[in-house]
Amino acid sequence: LSGGAEKVARLLFETYRRRGHRSLLAVGLKQGTDPDVIPLPPRPPALGRRLSERLARMRGGRHIPGFARAREWVAQWPDPHRVVAELRGEEDFDFPASRRLLDILPVRPDVFHCHNLHGGYFDLRALPDLARAAPLVLTMHDAWLLSGHCAHSFDCQRWTTGCGACPDLSIYPALRHDGTARNWRR
């Protein structure tokens, strides 16, 4: 286990089971073989990767000089909307599996208990739908949900008024450009 939030979520998951409850743990990255730990499928590959795979199918088995190098170059292309979002300093919420969580789980839960939702696996825009499907509890292990990007604001108080003009974009989860005011509103 890596962080404190992960340890707490795992401990609760195991305790519920020991007490006779059906408990499932949805995760961004599954470790181990427990069938009740459900990995959220990763988002589809970036545009370049999809194009590269299509090129390989079109080529068939024919030898084409320079094809491997061209395919490798195309595979590096990112999705344009992700590039624009990064340039705007937007937090990455593009994880479609979050919106399909009810379809992914083997049973409909009686309650959702969410822990840290940052870390590149969850779309916060799925929370309202999940809350309509079952009661939703959100345990905050850091201040990320209150701020425009940082898990720990330290001495900065901008999160109380809407962020913007961030004094330290390198704080986890780091941003390249200041989109903190927009992220705070989102």
Side-chain angles (χ1 to χ4, degrees):
L1 297 176
S2 55
E6 183 178 345
K7 289 175 185 169
V8 169
R10 173 64 88 168
L11 179 63
L12 288 169
F13 161 70
E14 291 171 353
T15 301
Y16 294 145
R17 290 198 306 191
R18 276 196 309 275
R19 293 187 177 186
H21 301 283
R22 176 78 193 267
S23 184
L24 301 169
L25 183 62
V27 298
L29 179 63
K30 182 173 180 170
Q31 299 174 6
T33 59
D34 189 322
D36 290 331
V37 175
I38 313 297
L40 290 174
R43 64 177 156 208
L47 173 66
R49 179 69 170 218
R50 294 190 310 264
L51 289 174
S52 175
E53 290 167 2
R54 185 176 292 166
L55 285 172
R57 286 191 302 273
M58 289 171 48
R59 178 184 68 132
R62 297 184 314 267
H63 173 73
I64 301 172
F67 180 82
R69 177 176 276 167
R71 185 172 171 230
E72 184 178 305
W73 178 72
V74 167
Q76 302 305 311
W77 294 353
D79 282 329
H81 74 276
R82 288 189 191 139
V83 171
V84 170
E86 184 178 331
L87 291 173
R88 294 177 68 185
E90 290 180 0
E91 291 279 359
D92 187 1
F93 295 164
D94 187 23
F95 301 100
S98 306
R99 295 187 177 270
R100 298 187 352 261
L101 187 56
L102 289 169
D103 299 326
I104 294 167
L105 296 176
V107 296
R108 190 175 194 98
D110 294 324
V111 92
F112 286 104
H113 188 173
C114 302
H115 294 268
N116 272 7
L117 298 176
H118 56 78
Y121 74 99
F122 194 82
D123 186 337
L124 292 181
R125 298 168 294 187
L127 289 174
D129 291 337
L130 295 176
R132 281 189 283 280
L136 188 136
V137 176
L138 182 58
T139 297
M140 291 178 41
H141 296 271
D142 59 37
W144 179 74
L145 285 172
L146 301 175
S147 75
H149 97 91
C150 55
H152 301 286
S153 60
F154 302 106
D155 292 329
C156 179
Q157 296 296 309
R158 284 182 170 84
W159 65 271
T160 63
T161 58
C163 288
C166 182
D168 191 352
L169 294 173
S170 69
I171 295 173
Y172 176 81
L175 294 174
R176 286 186 179 190
H177 305 281
D178 191 352
T180 58
R182 185 179 314 102
N183 290 333
W184 188 86
R185 288 190 302 274
R186 288 173 69 204

